[in-house]
Amino acid sequence: MKKLSTLHRLRAYVGRYRARLLLGALCVSLSNLAAIASPRFLKYAIDSLGGSISKEKLLAYSALIVVFAVLEGIFLFLMRKIMIGVSRYIEYDLRNDLFAHLLGLSRRYYQNHKTGDIMSRATNDMNAVRMLLGPGIMYSANTIVRMIVVLFFMLHIHVTLTLFALATIPIVSLAVRYFGAVIHKRFEKIQEAFSEISARVQENLAGIRVIKAFTQESSEIEQFKRLSQEYISQEYIHKNLGLIRVWGAFYPMLGALLGVGGVFVLWFGGREVMAGRITLGDFVAFNAYLGMLSWPMIALGWVINIIERGSASMGRINHIFDAQPEIKDDSVSVSPVPFILQDKSGSRSLPAGPVLSEIQGEIEFKNLSFAYNGTRVLRDINLRIPRGATYSIVGETGSGKSTLINLLARTYESTDGEILIDGLPIQKYPLRSLRSQMGYVPQETFLFSDTIRENIAFGVEEASQTAVHEAARLAQILPDVEGFPKRFETLIGERGITLSGGQQQRTAIARALIRNPRILILDDALSSVDTYTEERILTALKEIMRGRTSILISHRVSTVKFADQIIVLNQGSIVERGTHEELLDRGGYYAELYQKQLLEEELAGA
Amino acid sequence: MQHHEEEALGKAYDSHLMRRLLRYLAPYRIQVFLALLITAAASLLQVCGPYLTKIGIDRYIVTKNYEGLNKVALIYVSIIILGFLLGYIQTYIMQLTGQKIMYDLRLEIFTHLQRLPLAFFDRNPVGRLMTRVTTDVDVLNELFTAGVVTLLGDVLVLLGIVVIIFYLNFKLALVAMSVIPLIFLITVVFKIKARDSYRRVRTAIARINAFLQEHITGMSIVQLFNHERKSFAQFDEINRGHLTANLDSVMAYSVFFPAVQVVSALAIALIIWYGGGQVIERELSFGALVAFIQYSERFFRPIADLSEKYNILQSAMASSERIFKLLDFPIDIKQPEQPVRLKEIQGEIEFRHVWFAYNRLDPKKESAGPATGRALPALNPVTRESEWDWVLKDVSFKVNPGEAVAVVGHTGAGKTTLTSLLMRFYDIQKGEILLDGHDIRTLDLQQLRRSFGFVLQDVFLFSGTIASNIRLGTPGITEEAIYRAAQDVNLEEFVEELPNGYVEEVKERGSTLSTGQKQLIAFARALAHDPRNLILDEATSSVDTDTELKIRDAIARLMQGRTSIIIAHRLSTIQNADKIIVMHKGQIREIGTHQELLAQRGIYYKLYQLQYKDQELPLART
Ligand SMILES: Nc1ncnc2c1ncn2[C@@H]1O[C@H](COP(=O)(O)OP(=O)(O)OP(=O)(O)O)[C@@H](O)[C@H]1O
Ligand SMILES: Nc1ncnc2c1ncn2[C@@H]1O[C@H](COP(=O)(O)OP(=O)(O)OP(=O)(O)O)[C@@H](O)[C@H]1O
Ligand SMILES: [Mg+2]
Ligand SMILES: [Mg+2]
């Protein structure tokens, strides 16, 4: 019962709306009871037509049919409103929870899963699950109730005839099981293929500049063609049990089986009427009952499809839910109870708000080694950064500088060795409060498609106009912003594409500064700004960094030289440390770096 | 959360859109025709059932004719089996055709997307565009497979029923049909209710997509800046908008189905009351009465279904509207009618009084821009200068074939813009850009772009392998060339240490590589394409000095006899340039060699001083 286990997660959600669903089920029953009355009156009317009947009597029967139909209509309306409504609520809950869960997943997860794929699960698959929860449940309930009620009344009229009429039901249920399984399997594949297409399109659009620059359009189209051909042909058409073939047979088959039942009724029921064992009214009523089954039966095909699709999709969504955040708070955090964000329905929880009193900012790496997967990237790092000090890190590309920062900010978890802040391992701090103490300018800038103001104020709860202004000023982005027609309200494109490289980077610096952090980390954050601006930012930073622990990563001597200590990383190990002057005297990597950069300048100046 | 405004929707049924949609059926007209034919036959068969019942009752049951009953039953069964077969074939054909149409459409959209100018992508979130190729197309699939043909089948069934019942008994048929106006009334009310909420649903979905796309890609920033709670609140708001819009539409849909049900019962009641009276007066047979009742049931079933169909139709209209809007977005940067194909590109580049703006200044006019994604207006002689937010102002310079030119200037001065224009990512408003004496707007676009090897400031890697990222989809780049390019950018050592070497997996955006490594791969990519001209936009900004120096030697060798444009903030990296262009706030301020510019004591001199001073201080001490 694989299906049941994939749907297990939904139980809690469904349970939340138990009362409403029960009410819905009640409406299903009542509407069916009301519906069943109509063939009764039909029978009475027809039977009495044989004898002598007054027109008033006929009118009364007709009126009763309408009255019961109105009753049925009311309950049908309630049933839909309640049950479809509940499915919408559950969809809302589920989607919120999914996003909340995504918010907690670590970098490694996003590295291993494509954006397009995750999106496809959160939207396309979510929709399939919603269909299962809404029409899926509603029509199943309706079909079941109707079967029972109708069966009862049919049996009441004639047992054998009922057996004849429903002789095809076992075949129907076999067909349902068989086709259901096939649809499930096919649909899983189709959703996978769909995900692949999404991911492909997503990457293509995100990298459109490169594609245009290298005139890769036709090659991209070719690849896309192949992928979407696969999507339709593999899954829909060619495989010996392509969905189309199955689906094409399934639907008409249900109708046909039911129709055959109808013929049985005509044939056998007709004989019974002739033999006088049932009245013509019974016969007509019987036909009407069978007619009442026809729609639910046909709906059954549809419902099976919905349920199979829904459960296949739920399985795919479960993949996301089942991913455990690699990095999360220890149970024994410094703060006992992170306050929980409560939604109105009381379902979601996200730890919120800094709970930690300000840290001092002393950082220590102790025997730290690290490998992303297999290959060592950091080796036995021992480094203590006293609070308020400014340390710089230089080193070749790929020497592990950013990795060190990743570990400090806990984007990755250190496994070998320890990182301490104020003497406590960072794992002991709640993640939120740890990060809230850091102002981090990542090496690669990511901005959101929002206003410049919102982007700068991104990392703080509330930001006043003056705070944004001040941060922008310190990061030297203010003159640029003032040059834009809409100033701070200027909208920027996704990832910041409508800003120049340097403007993006400076916005990111402002975003870090506005947090007023105890620990400031700049990972090569001046790589895209000119010397003049760099100089001005550094001057501003020197002021800000006073009293804060700061880590500056750069390839430029000019950026790092004023630091209290300069660390040279090589292949993941610290090979030199000391002040600018000390390192120059030592004549190692740093001195060489200095000479090279100096030499360039001299050459240029000569 | 701007950029997300989903366009307001038009009508639920738009004949113009529909006609355009039906055009996609044209290549498959044989299949469609066949399906229609089959549908018609199947509908006919469907209409037969109750009539057979009538015959069974009137001719045989009432007269106790067993033989006859057997015959009718047999005919009935054959009809059902035939109906099943027809139904199967019809579904099969339509599903197949539907898939093929979807394939065509998807490809057309994707192809169009590849041709759209970059200005379009500056304004439209990736998440939203993705929806066009994926979900929106799927919605249309439903229209083609479940909509068009079945709708026709339904109409045929309805017509058939009307014909038969009027044939059976005109008066009773009139009475039964008297409820039809009620159906119209219900439908009209439903339409109004359903439409508004539907529009809100679509908008909400588009927002959800765009939001998710952006937040999934930027998740680590969200986490590092403790933005989870705010992000969640934003998402919740969008999600809630989706919920309430849906709940509103639930209301409309919930009313419709039961209402039709009631009307259907009303019709049956009328038949019993009036028809029953006729039976008593021997104007109508029993069988005919029963057939009437069965017909009226069958009559209302497709109508009750209408709300579903309406939903499909409405979704399809909305999706097609958006798809067509995308397809109609003008490709204003395209291959010229009669492109000039140069035999050999010398690499002479000239900018003549180039003026360029990304946006218009006037906010009122601009508002039409971002949301609907309208193209930047083409060069218009009457546009006044003050209307534009100029990024480049009257830029003129010339690069001789084989020269290396450096562009320097403060950040935001317009350096990257300059290169984008040269690649014809955007078209300029005024002036001319010439390559080998030809206006680039007259040149073959592919040839133009191919002649440049471009290392973009913003590095982008695709998921795949290191080799596939260097080669991209360009045929004819050999393994050899890839190794050589990697060697030139000093990547060789790193790659060879990887477990899988050049076929080591690269994840989305190269997320498992260091920034410098990514930049080097992008650099290698440009070199492997062996271009006539090279544009390096901050191509080594994230690379250590050692590597940078090594690359520089390789580049110097490679660029012998080729034109190159190098943008760099580190003045030291451009020392060998034949010419240095100093940009300031969108204008060229100084042009000359390093020595000339120093002598000029302008901006360049100041920039230089700044860097030089940096180095001098400690030098004095050592
Ligand atoms: N997520 C990851 N998974 C696997 N390997 C990784 C990952 N991130 C980085 N690496 C590898 O670890 C090494 C160190 O990377 P890191 O980003 O720390 O370098 P870096 O010193 O910051 O370099 P750069 O100066 O280029 O920014 C590199 O060889 C890189 O390929
Ligand atoms: N796609 C765009 N849409 C609108 N405005 C843009 C776009 N790209 C750049 N701009 C604006 O045009 C101006 C010039 O940008 P450009 O990228 O050319 O600068 P740059 O000289 O390359 O700067 P940097 O050294 O920081 O990379 C900037 O003010 C920027 O905000
Ligand atoms: Mg790094
Ligand atoms: Mg730039």
Side-chain angles (χ1 to χ4, degrees):
Chain A
M1 284 270 83
K2 187 166 161 278
K3 200 190 307 172
L4 277 188
S5 58
T6 53
L7 295 180
H8 189 76
R9 184 177 310 276
L10 290 176
R11 268 185 49 184
Y13 292 89
V14 173
R16 212 175 289 157
Y17 300 96
R18 197 183 301 118
R20 256 189 259 191
L21 281 173
L22 282 178
L23 200 66
L26 187 71
C27 291
V28 171
S29 311
L30 290 176
S31 80
N32 274 301
L33 285 178
I36 211 75
S38 158
R40 284 306 279 181
F41 298 124
L42 200 62
K43 167 188 149 53
Y44 293 142
I46 301 252
D47 278 347
S48 49
L49 280 180
S52 59
I53 178 176
S54 65
K55 284 216 162 178
E56 286 72 44
K57 200 87 182 270
L58 266 184
L59 189 64
Y61 285 135
S62 305
L64 279 172
I65 286 179
V66 174
V67 167
F68 275 90
V70 169
L71 278 180
E72 183 200 353
I74 290 172
F75 289 120
L76 264 183
F77 163 72
L78 288 176
M79 166 185 99
R80 287 186 156 242
K81 193 168 155 36
I82 292 169
M83 297 188 82
I84 304 289
V86 165
S87 79
R88 290 292 176 192
Y89 279 107
I90 296 180
E91 177 196 18
Y92 163 78
D93 290 351
L94 197 61
R95 188 178 273 130
N96 260 354
D97 285 0
L98 189 68
F99 186 64
H101 188 76
L102 284 173
L103 283 173
L105 290 178
S106 338
R107 179 103 135 242
R108 203 184 286 274
Y109 181 84
Y110 291 99
Q111 232 154 53
N112 292 327
H113 294 83
K114 294 191 178 176
T115 310
D117 179 58
I118 300 175
M119 277 185 70
S120 156
R121 287 172 205 252
T123 55
N124 206 22
D125 285 310
M126 184 66 79
N127 195 38
V129 172
R130 205 291 297 180
M131 287 297 279
L132 174 138
L133 289 167
I137 291 183
M138 184 178 78
Y139 287 120
S140 317
N142 193 42
T143 304
I144 292 169
V145 172
R146 181 152 288 192
M147 280 294 266
I148 294 169
V149 174
V150 168
L151 196 66
F152 178 80
F153 279 85
M154 278 177 145
L155 285 172
H156 186 73
I157 293 176
H158 196 300
V159 178
T160 329
L161 187 56
T162 310
L163 290 183
F164 262 107
L166 302 182
T168 53
I169 292 288
I171 306 181
V172 171
S173 71
L174 275 181
V176 162
R177 283 186 87 170
Y178 171 72
F179 285 124
V182 176
I183 290 172
H184 188 94
K185 227 170 59 205
R186 287 282 138 244
F187 192 68
E188 257 173 3
K189 291 266 164 60
I190 286 172
Q191 289 297 80
E192 253 168 54
F194 192 82
S195 257
E196 241 174 89
I197 292 187
S198 300
R200 176 97 222 160
V201 175
Q202 199 269 344
E203 268 203 283
N204 170 284
L205 297 178
I208 195 78
R209 270 157 210 274
V210 175
I211 286 165
K212 284 192 182 291
F214 287 86
T215 58
Q216 297 298 312
E217 291 96 336
S218 20
S219 128
E220 285 291 309
I221 292 170
E222 233 13 79
Q223 284 185 43
F224 180 78
K225 207 185 235 172
R226 217 174 316 129
L227 214 58
S228 42
Q229 201 136 42
E230 218 161 89
Y231 171 56
I232 65 164
S233 67
Q234 286 295 308
E235 306 308 334
Y236 274 100
I237 306 165
H238 288 320
K239 289 221 173 119
N240 38 354
L241 273 175
L243 191 68
I244 293 180
R245 237 169 266 192
V246 176
W247 190 234
F250 187 42
Y251 225 139
M253 186 161 157
L254 287 174
L257 287 174
L258 205 79
V260 170
V263 180
F264 276 138
V265 171
L266 176 67
W267 177 72
F268 186 75
R271 298 170 85 93
E272 293 294 280
V273 174
M274 293 185 233
R277 277 192 282 271
I278 56 173
T279 64
L280 194 57
D282 282 329
F283 175 76
V284 174
F286 207 91
N287 263 310
Y289 285 136
L290 205 61
M292 281 177 64
L293 280 188
S294 71
W295 203 83
M297 268 311 221
I298 290 170
L300 189 68
W302 191 58
V303 167
I304 296 298
N305 189 31
I306 286 179
I307 290 179
E308 293 305 339
R309 283 173 181 239
S311 64
S313 283
M314 193 61 215
R316 287 165 48 79
I317 294 176
N318 277 339
H319 276 293
I320 297 182
F321 274 121
D322 290 342
Q324 287 304 315
E326 181 195 7
I327 293 154
K328 54 182 182 215
D329 288 338
D330 255 4
S331 41
V332 278
S333 297
V334 173
S335 84
V337 186
F339 99 71
I340 302 288
L341 178 76
Q342 288 278 345
D343 187 67
K344 270 180 199 138
S345 54
S347 59
R348 279 159 291 283
S349 65
L350 273 181
V355 272
L356 189 80
S357 57
E358 287 219 333
I359 58 168
Q360 297 298 311
E362 184 202 69
I363 303 170
E364 186 172 2
F365 299 92
K366 238 188 197 169
N367 304 325
L368 185 73
S369 294
F370 183 73
Y372 283 104
N373 30 24
T375 38
R376 278 279 173 92
V377 174
L378 290 178
R379 284 165 231 267
D380 214 19
I381 303 285
N382 279 295
L383 176 66
R384 207 179 69 83
I385 307 178
R387 75 181 186 151
T390 300
Y391 273 45
S392 292
I393 307 177
V394 294
E396 283 176 11
T397 282
S399 55
K401 305 180 293 295
S402 303
T403 305
L404 199 64
I405 301 306
N406 279 337
L407 295 179
L408 179 60
R410 284 188 81 197
T411 16
Y412 286 93
E413 196 74 298
S414 52
T415 42
D416 211 351
E418 274 187 313
I419 302 173
L420 312 170
I421 290 182
D422 294 351
L424 262 181
I426 51 171
Q427 282 80 3
K428 296 279 182 217
Y429 294 96
L431 206 51
R432 267 192 85 79
S433 52
L434 175 76
R435 288 178 178 163
S436 72
Q437 305 286 328
M438 293 184 184
Y440 178 29
V441 187
Q443 196 168 10
E444 281 161 62
T445 311
F446 185 97
L447 300 175
F448 289 83
S449 58
D450 209 329
T451 60
I452 292 185
R453 170 198 311 286
E454 285 303 319
N455 268 292
I456 292 178
F458 189 77
V460 288
E461 289 294 315
E462 276 323 313
S464 65
Q465 169 69 31
T466 34
V468 172
H469 209 272
E470 179 64 11
R473 193 184 61 78
L474 291 171
Q476 303 298 321
I477 183 74
L478 192 59
D480 296 69
V481 173
E482 308 226 286
F484 296 147
K486 293 193 195 152
R487 300 162 54 91
F488 279 103
E489 304 309 322
T490 306
L491 277 177
I492 58 185
E494 266 189 309
R495 280 181 170 262
I497 41 172
T498 54
L499 294 181
S500 86
Q503 287 164 346
Q504 288 175 25
Q505 214 164 37
R506 281 173 291 153
T507 310
I509 294 175
R511 176 172 72 187
L513 293 182
I514 201 174
R515 304 188 84 187
N516 194 13
R518 299 296 313 155
I519 299 172
L520 187 64
I521 303 167
L522 273 70
D523 189 352
D524 209 6
L526 299 169
S527 63
S528 305
V529 299
D530 58 279
T531 340
Y532 171 75
T533 314
E534 176 181 348
E535 166 86 7
R536 301 195 49 167
I537 295 177
L538 281 175
T539 314
L541 280 184
K542 277 176 206 159
E543 198 57 42
I544 298 164
M545 288 190 298
R546 193 162 297 150
R548 293 174 214 272
T549 313
S550 318
I551 302 177
L552 296 182
I553 297 177
S554 178
H555 290 300
R556 312 302 308 174
V557 169
S558 57
T559 312
V560 301
K561 67 178 177 14
F562 70 91
D564 298 323
Q565 284 269 308
I566 297 165
I567 310 296
V568 180
L569 269 186
N570 187 15
Q571 310 236 5
S573 310
I574 297 181
V575 289
E576 287 168 43
R577 60 177 90 196
T579 62
H580 178 69
E581 284 76 16
E582 286 167 15
L583 290 186
L584 284 188
D585 287 344
R586 194 163 306 164
Y589 175 91
Y590 185 78
E592 206 177 304
L593 180 76
Y594 175 75
Q595 287 305 331
K596 273 178 190 151
Q597 290 186 7
L598 189 67
L599 197 66
E600 291 170 18
E601 307 298 342
E602 276 187 338
L603 270 176
Chain B
M1 302 292 100
Q2 295 69 21
H3 286 277
H4 300 158
E5 302 106 81
E6 197 68 336
E7 317 75 34
L9 290 178
K11 297 173 267 185
Y13 178 81
D14 184 326
S15 58
H16 181 72
L17 280 179
M18 198 55 167
R19 240 176 290 140
R20 188 161 168 190
L21 266 179
L22 290 179
R23 248 183 269 156
Y24 287 90
L25 286 173
Y28 307 99
R29 61 177 86 76
I30 298 175
Q31 285 95 319
V32 174
F33 183 71
L34 210 66
L36 287 180
L37 217 65
I38 294 173
T39 309
S43 312
L44 210 68
L45 291 179
Q46 253 192 45
V47 177
C48 284
Y51 196 75
L52 284 171
T53 311
K54 171 200 177 293
I55 294 173
I57 293 175
D58 283 349
R59 292 221 196 125
Y60 306 118
I61 295 180
V62 177
T63 60
K64 299 201 184 222
N65 181 340
Y66 286 89
E67 290 273 297
L69 190 60
N70 289 348
K71 213 169 67 195
V72 169
L74 217 62
I75 295 175
Y76 206 159
V77 168
S78 335
I79 283 182
I80 286 171
I81 291 173
L82 196 62
F84 163 71
L85 287 178
L86 290 181
Y88 177 59
I89 298 171
Q90 192 264 96
T91 322
Y92 187 80
I93 293 178
M94 271 333 279
Q95 292 269 354
L96 205 65
T97 313
Q99 287 305 319
K100 288 193 177 143
I101 295 173
M102 291 314 104
Y103 170 78
D104 296 345
L105 193 58
R106 213 169 249 138
L107 205 61
E108 186 182 343
I109 301 170
F110 188 81
T111 307
H112 190 77
L113 277 173
Q114 300 306 300
R115 310 237 154 96
L116 283 170
L118 277 183
F120 179 82
F121 295 97
D122 287 349
R123 286 154 189 206
N124 288 281
V126 171
R128 185 158 90 195
L129 297 179
M130 275 174 74
T131 323
R132 300 292 171 274
V133 188
T134 55
T135 328
D136 279 338
V137 174
D138 266 22
V139 167
L140 288 186
N141 183 26
E142 221 170 324
L143 175 74
F144 285 122
T145 53
V148 178
V149 174
T150 13
L151 205 63
L152 189 95
D154 287 347
V155 171
L156 285 178
V157 169
L158 291 186
L159 279 178
I161 290 176
V162 170
V163 168
I164 290 192
I165 59 174
F166 274 97
Y167 165 77
L168 280 176
N169 186 310
F170 194 84
K171 269 197 241 160
L172 183 56
L174 265 187
V175 172
M177 291 290 112
S178 65
V179 297
I180 294 294
L182 276 179
I183 292 288
F184 278 112
L185 190 72
I186 293 171
T187 313
V188 168
V189 173
F190 166 76
K191 242 174 80 174
I192 295 168
K193 289 265 171 211
R195 206 163 77 204
D196 173 58
S197 51
Y198 184 76
R199 177 166 24 200
R200 282 160 48 214
V201 170
R202 295 308 308 182
T203 314
I205 289 177
R207 281 187 180 192
I208 287 177
N209 279 341
F211 188 90
L212 276 177
Q213 200 271 341
E214 192 167 24
H215 279 74
I216 291 170
T217 45
M219 191 55 82
S220 38
I221 296 298
V222 171
Q223 292 171 345
L224 284 167
F225 284 83
N226 292 23
H227 201 262
E228 291 101 329
R229 220 153 42 105
K230 272 201 205 164
S231 289
F232 183 80
Q234 287 167 349
F235 185 74
D236 181 59
E237 195 187 308
I238 299 173
N239 197 13
R240 192 178 293 272
H242 181 248
L243 172 70
T244 48
N246 266 312
L247 288 180
D248 286 353
S249 78
V250 167
M251 186 69 188
Y253 284 92
S254 304
V255 174
F256 185 79
F257 186 84
V260 173
Q261 200 86 334
V262 171
V263 174
S264 149
L266 192 63
I268 290 180
L270 282 174
I271 291 169
I272 289 177
W273 168 67
Y274 189 80
Q278 285 186 313
V279 170
I280 296 170
E281 280 147 28
R282 302 263 169 258
E283 277 174 30
L284 189 74
S285 68
F286 256 120
L289 182 67
V290 173
F292 249 97
I293 293 171
Q294 290 192 352
Y295 276 126
S296 77
E297 271 169 1
R298 289 189 188 206
F299 186 83
F300 287 101
R301 198 179 300 146
I303 293 182
D305 248 17
L306 216 64
S307 59
E308 282 302 324
K309 300 263 160 61
Y310 183 80
N311 201 8
I312 291 175
L313 191 71
Q314 186 167 241
S315 319
M317 285 299 139
S319 290
S320 58
E321 191 178 335
R322 286 193 304 264
I323 287 175
F324 291 149
K325 207 170 213 165
L326 178 67
L327 290 178
D328 289 343
F329 191 95
I331 301 177
D332 50 7
I333 298 185
K334 60 179 168 211
Q335 185 77 327
E337 299 273 306
Q338 264 144 1
V340 178
R341 286 199 183 82
L342 301 175
K343 262 210 215 80
E344 206 190 344
I345 291 180
Q346 301 301 322
E348 186 199 72
I349 297 165
E350 187 175 358
F351 275 54
R352 272 194 206 149
H353 303 290
V354 169
W355 290 72
F356 173 73
Y358 288 101
N359 296 308
R360 275 178 187 275
L361 258 186
D362 186 359
K364 260 173 276 157
K365 276 183 192 139
E366 196 200 50
S367 69
T372 56
R374 222 183 50 205
L376 290 167
L379 178 66
N380 179 353
V382 288
T383 45
R384 273 166 298 127
E385 272 178 30
S386 59
E387 266 182 38
W388 298 90
D389 183 12
W390 297 115
V391 170
L392 293 187
K393 284 170 256 179
D394 198 21
V395 169
S396 301
F397 64 89
K398 187 168 173 190
V399 184
N400 297 317
E403 259 183 357
V405 170
V407 184
V408 300
H410 291 176
T411 112
K415 305 180 293 295
T416 302
T417 306
L418 209 69
T419 61
S420 299
L421 295 181
L422 194 52
M423 295 290 280
R424 232 184 136 211
F425 284 163
Y426 304 88
D427 270 343
I428 54 178
Q429 276 85 9
K430 281 201 246 175
E432 265 182 312
I433 301 175
L434 309 172
L435 178 65
D436 287 356
H438 298 273
D439 189 323
I440 55 168
R441 280 171 292 198
T442 64
L443 290 179
D444 179 276
L445 195 58
Q446 302 277 316
Q447 191 188 24
L448 170 74
R449 287 186 182 157
R450 249 178 229 151
S451 72
F452 289 98
F454 194 177
V455 184
L456 288 95
Q457 189 172 18
D458 191 9
V459 173
F460 189 93
L461 297 191
F462 296 90
S463 51
T465 63
I466 293 187
S468 78
N469 264 293
I470 295 178
R471 178 188 283 130
L472 293 179
T474 314
I477 293 185
T478 58
E479 302 284 305
E480 265 313 297
I482 292 177
Y483 300 152
R484 215 168 333 109
Q487 210 171 350
D488 284 337
V489 299
N490 206 32
L491 253 180
E492 200 188 19
E493 209 176 309
F494 163 69
V495 177
E496 271 161 14
E497 268 174 28
L498 293 171
N500 299 316
Y502 284 89
V503 289
E504 178 78 13
E505 190 186 359
V506 172
K507 300 274 172 132
E508 198 171 271
R509 281 186 176 263
S511 57
T512 56
L513 296 165
S514 92
T515 311
Q517 288 160 351
K518 277 185 263 196
Q519 206 168 36
L520 293 178
I521 292 175
F523 207 139
R525 175 193 283 163
L527 295 185
H529 281 74
D530 192 24
R532 271 302 305 161
N533 315 309
L534 200 61
I535 302 176
L536 308 177
D537 190 355
E538 293 282 333
T540 50
S541 63
S542 304
V543 173
D544 60 280
T545 313
D546 215 17
T547 311
E548 196 181 333
L549 286 175
K550 283 184 195 154
I551 296 177
R552 204 180 304 157
D553 294 341
I555 301 302
R557 199 161 22 77
L558 272 172
M559 286 334 289
Q560 288 292 326
R562 303 183 192 198
T563 310
S564 52
I565 295 180
I566 301 160
I567 298 176
H569 286 307
R570 317 285 155 214
L571 302 188
S572 54
T573 54
I574 55 167
Q575 54 189 319
N576 297 328
D578 297 311
K579 205 182 273 174
I580 295 169
I581 297 176
V582 182
M583 297 212 46
H584 190 71
K585 296 195 169 159
Q587 279 169 312
I588 293 189
R589 284 298 195 67
E590 295 160 19
I591 298 186
T593 63
H594 177 72
Q595 296 303 339
E596 288 165 12
L597 292 183
L598 282 185
Q600 216 168 313
R601 307 219 154 210
I603 297 176
Y604 186 78
Y605 177 77
K606 275 191 208 133
L607 280 174
Y608 183 75
Q609 283 286 301
L610 216 57
Q611 264 182 37
Y612 195 65
K613 175 201 81 185
D614 266 358
Q615 310 290 337
E616 207 170 29
L617 228 75
L619 183 71
R621 250 182 263 167
T622 37

